[in-house]
Amino acid sequence: MIRKLSVWIAALLFSCGADMVSAQEVIALQHDWVCDMWFFTYSYPSVSATGDPVTLTALACVPEGGTEVEHVNNVILGCHATITSNEQCPSEFGNTGILNSDVYALMYHAGSGLETQNPQSDQSYHNLVIVPDYEGYGATVGHAHPYLCEEITARQVTDAARYGILLYQNDERLADLRHPFRDDWRTICIGYSQGGAVAMATQRYIEQNHLTDELRLSGAICGDGPYDPLTTLLYYIENDQKDEEMAMPVVMPLMLKGLCDYSPLMTGHALSDYLQEHFLETGILDWITSKEKTTEQITVAWRLLYAMGKDGDNTYYRDLLTEDGKMRLRDILKPEAYDYFLQILDANPDYATQPVVVPEGDGLLEDLYAALQGNNLTIGWQPEHPLCLYHSIEDKVVPVHNYQLAKAVFGDRVTFYESKDNGNHLDTGNEFYTGTTLEDCIRELATLPYQTTGIRSIVQSNDTPDWYDLSGRRLAGQPTRRGVYIRNGRKIIIR
């Protein structure tokens, strides 16, 4: 069912606003007869998490060529969920991708549908779908992945969209697959889990960097996303106090490694400053770094360690792991780190809806707190466009507290779609992509009246020179303590 055609694009030079940019791509065109679409990978220049020039990769899907499709309805900017294996990244879909994945579920919206041939007028189909690799995957597999470092990931995803659109519209080698965009086409950001947070962050980046008109942004559809990493961590602490294991323990080392590798506030800190040696002994750091195991395979490896132990002692990991490969947060975090966030939890019982008050101090734990808050998508921004937030109230990987906080801050910009079954994180992801809610949200966002209104930030004006802390309190002047602050509607890091 898949036919391959390899094409080399020697050089692409085009205008992007006032800037001239160039890119060199290899495109591998593949045809999916099931959904009547073509897909290809392309590379594009961006900025790395360390601020250096970098070439990244992305997957693009386009409607079938020919007269059956009159035009491309919209641009779907797909943001993939958490992965730990490079084989799962979007640009590898033609080689190692599977149909039962969020990447294929996003690609689906480029065609006309599976069982029914949806008409051209159905805004959920016949779209240009772009699904970028995050840094650390695809062409940059040798880089560390900036997990939940939202600003840089959103920048890179936005760059993928800008290049992908112009590539499709201008390169002669795609002429047989090219359709004009409908007059009122839109860009809609979509993602689940980590992808849900990236979709929200991408909407924020587009709005705050004056790209709304270029990309004709209409909004974002986000499923069970960790919009506030601190709230998510406090939920884990709260559950641990009830003697519950973590539903997805790999989240903690992924989160901490991303921050240690890339957050300016975490310079000089290491995973061993926050994670217990016994936990690190399981090999988790090597698994994350090599990008050879999926999250499911990591869980299987932990199950084997529970059964096999180490050096002939089959009970070696029994105090850490359960038989099904899970563990408690207190056995993952060092006691001083656990106690620090437990203290914050005790002082902030309404942490999901109220600003969090933290103890005074200046050390590695305070740096971690500031780095977590620096990636809180609900701080320092008021959305200009709608946010459709889908969530299961029973999700124990990304708790519904993330939606509750977004709703409390963003108000009527947020529309809540409760999961029908309110199942676990993985089941809800399947429901998000295969149910009717996603299609309905795409149709709604794609047909909203287009407008270009300005953003009103937490400080009320982008020209306000005053400094604010992360709770929105105005400071007397420029802060001198390390941390993340807000000025002119933007987060600023003081080192």
Side-chain angles (χ1 to χ4, degrees):
M1 288 209 174
I2 294 180
R3 183 174 42 162
K4 247 185 202 184
L5 172 65
S6 295
V7 181
W8 170 258
I9 294 183
L12 176 67
L13 185 65
F14 48 78
S15 174
C16 187
D19 301 320
M20 293 299 291
V21 293
S22 63
Q24 198 171 45
E25 290 99 358
V26 176
I27 298 183
L29 280 170
Q30 301 186 44
H31 188 224
D32 181 9
W33 299 91
V34 178
C35 291
D36 291 333
M37 65 179 175
W38 289 83
F39 59 96
F40 57 90
T41 60
Y42 65 96
S43 57
Y44 64 96
S46 188
V47 177
S48 74
T50 56
D52 301 312
V54 67
T55 298
L56 299 169
T57 38
L59 175 73
C61 313
V62 300
E64 178 69 88
T67 59
E68 295 84 0
V69 179
E70 299 173 5
H71 52 251
V72 170
N73 282 330
N74 305 288
V75 175
I76 301 296
L77 188 48
C79 307
H80 69 78
T82 298
I83 60 174
T84 52
S85 167
N86 193 61
E87 291 185 352
Q88 299 171 293
C89 74
S91 67
E92 287 293 320
F93 183 84
N95 299 317
T96 57
I98 59 174
L99 300 186
N100 185 25
S101 67
D102 66 322
V103 173
Y104 189 73
L106 287 162
M107 295 167 62
Y108 178 75
H109 294 280
S112 59
L114 285 173
E115 297 179 357
T116 59
Q117 296 295 308
N118 292 282
Q120 176 72 65
S121 59
D122 190 337
Q123 298 296 312
S124 184
Y125 296 93
H126 310 291
N127 298 302
L128 169 60
V129 177
I130 295 172
V131 192
D133 297 331
Y134 303 148
E135 184 174 358
Y137 294 98
T140 57
V141 67
H143 295 200
H145 170 48
Y147 187 72
L148 297 189
C149 295
E150 305 298 1
E151 180 77 12
I152 186 59
T153 302
R155 159 70 187 270
Q156 294 167 350
V157 168
T158 302
D159 287 344
R162 300 174 78 191
Y163 276 84
I165 291 170
L166 291 173
L167 177 68
Y168 176 68
Q169 290 178 328
N170 292 279
D171 192 83
E172 62 182 17
R173 293 164 181 82
L174 297 175
D176 291 342
L177 302 178
R178 185 176 302 125
H179 303 284
F181 282 26
R182 72 180 174 102
D183 292 340
D184 202 21
W185 68 274
R186 307 298 177 80
T187 292
I188 301 170
C189 308
I190 300 175
Y192 182 82
S193 189
Q194 180 188 5
V198 173
M200 182 184 289
T202 301
Q203 173 170 331
R204 180 184 67 176
Y205 182 87
I206 292 171
E207 291 180 353
Q208 291 187 334
N209 288 276
H210 313 294
L211 296 170
T212 295
D213 289 342
E214 176 189 328
L215 292 172
R216 301 185 63 83
L217 179 68
S218 188
I221 307 169
C222 313
D224 290 48
Y227 316 122
D228 177 9
L230 177 63
T231 288
T232 303
L233 177 55
L234 293 179
Y235 171 83
Y236 293 160
I237 294 280
E238 190 173 39
N239 270 12
D240 190 84
Q241 289 291 297
K242 302 173 185 176
D243 292 328
E244 294 184 17
E245 294 95 10
M246 290 191 69
M248 192 176 178
V250 73
V251 168
M252 281 309 305
L254 279 173
M255 182 189 303
L256 290 172
K257 187 176 187 306
L259 294 175
C260 286
D261 286 337
Y262 290 117
S263 173
L265 293 167
M266 301 286 279
T267 302
H269 301 327
L271 277 178
S272 56
D273 292 330
Y274 304 100
L275 299 177
Q276 293 198 35
E277 181 180 354
H278 196 35
F279 173 67
L280 291 172
E281 272 188 291
T282 66
I284 182 60
L285 183 56
D286 291 337
W287 298 337
I288 292 174
T289 303
S290 69
K291 303 184 180 101
E292 295 176 353
K293 291 182 183 291
T294 66
T295 55
E296 292 82 3
Q297 290 168 339
I298 288 175
T299 299
V300 170
W302 275 331
R303 290 174 185 166
L304 287 173
L305 287 178
Y306 174 87
M308 306 282 294
K310 179 181 178 182
D311 298 332
D313 180 3
N314 62 6
T315 65
Y316 188 80
Y317 290 109
R318 299 286 174 88
D319 60 338
L320 171 67
L321 295 162
T322 63
E323 190 173 4
D324 58 357
K326 294 181 181 179
M327 58 200 82
R328 292 178 55 181
L329 184 60
R330 68 180 60 187
D331 297 323
I332 297 175
L333 290 178
K334 281 192 166 182
E336 55 268 33
Y338 183 93
D339 291 343
Y340 174 81
F341 287 103
L342 178 59
Q343 182 182 357
I344 293 177
L345 174 65
D346 289 341
N348 298 273
D350 298 323
Y351 64 90
T353 55
Q354 299 294 327
V356 172
V357 178
V358 298
E360 292 288 334
D362 187 12
L364 63 88
L365 295 173
E366 288 76 17
D367 289 345
L368 175 56
Y369 161 78
L372 289 168
Q373 284 292 68
N375 289 285
N376 182 345
L377 296 174
T378 68
I379 292 176
W381 171 58
Q382 279 293 322
E384 177 185 348
H385 298 84
L387 285 167
C388 301
L389 301 188
Y390 189 97
H391 222 109
S392 166
I393 61 175
E394 297 297 331
D395 191 336
K396 293 184 179 297
V397 176
V398 182
V400 73
H401 300 52
N402 285 273
Y403 153 71
Q404 293 169 342
L405 180 61
K407 179 64 176 178
V409 175
F410 298 149
D412 59 7
R413 280 300 184 192
V414 170
T415 301
F416 178 49
Y417 298 87
E418 184 176 338
S419 165
K420 179 180 178 181
D421 295 331
N422 279 314
N424 63 36
H425 190 67
L426 294 179
D427 290 344
T428 303
N430 183 63
E431 181 186 309
F432 174 76
Y433 279 116
T434 61
T436 60
T437 299
L438 177 58
E439 293 181 352
D440 290 342
C441 287
I442 293 174
R443 294 175 186 125
E444 181 177 351
L445 290 180
T447 54
L448 288 176
Y450 186 69
Q451 56 183 3
T452 56
T453 57
I455 305 168
R456 293 188 176 178
S457 70
I458 188 172
V459 295
Q460 301 302 316
S461 169
N462 287 338
D463 299 324
T464 301
D466 297 323
W467 291 82
Y468 293 77
D469 66 15
L470 292 177
S471 296
R473 294 183 291 260
R474 187 168 64 182
L475 306 179
Q478 180 172 340
T480 56
R481 289 185 58 197
R482 283 167 56 96
V484 181
Y485 300 89
I486 298 171
R487 191 178 192 226
N488 292 332
R490 297 295 189 99
K491 292 178 184 175
I492 297 178
I493 295 175
I494 301 294
R495 307 185 191 183

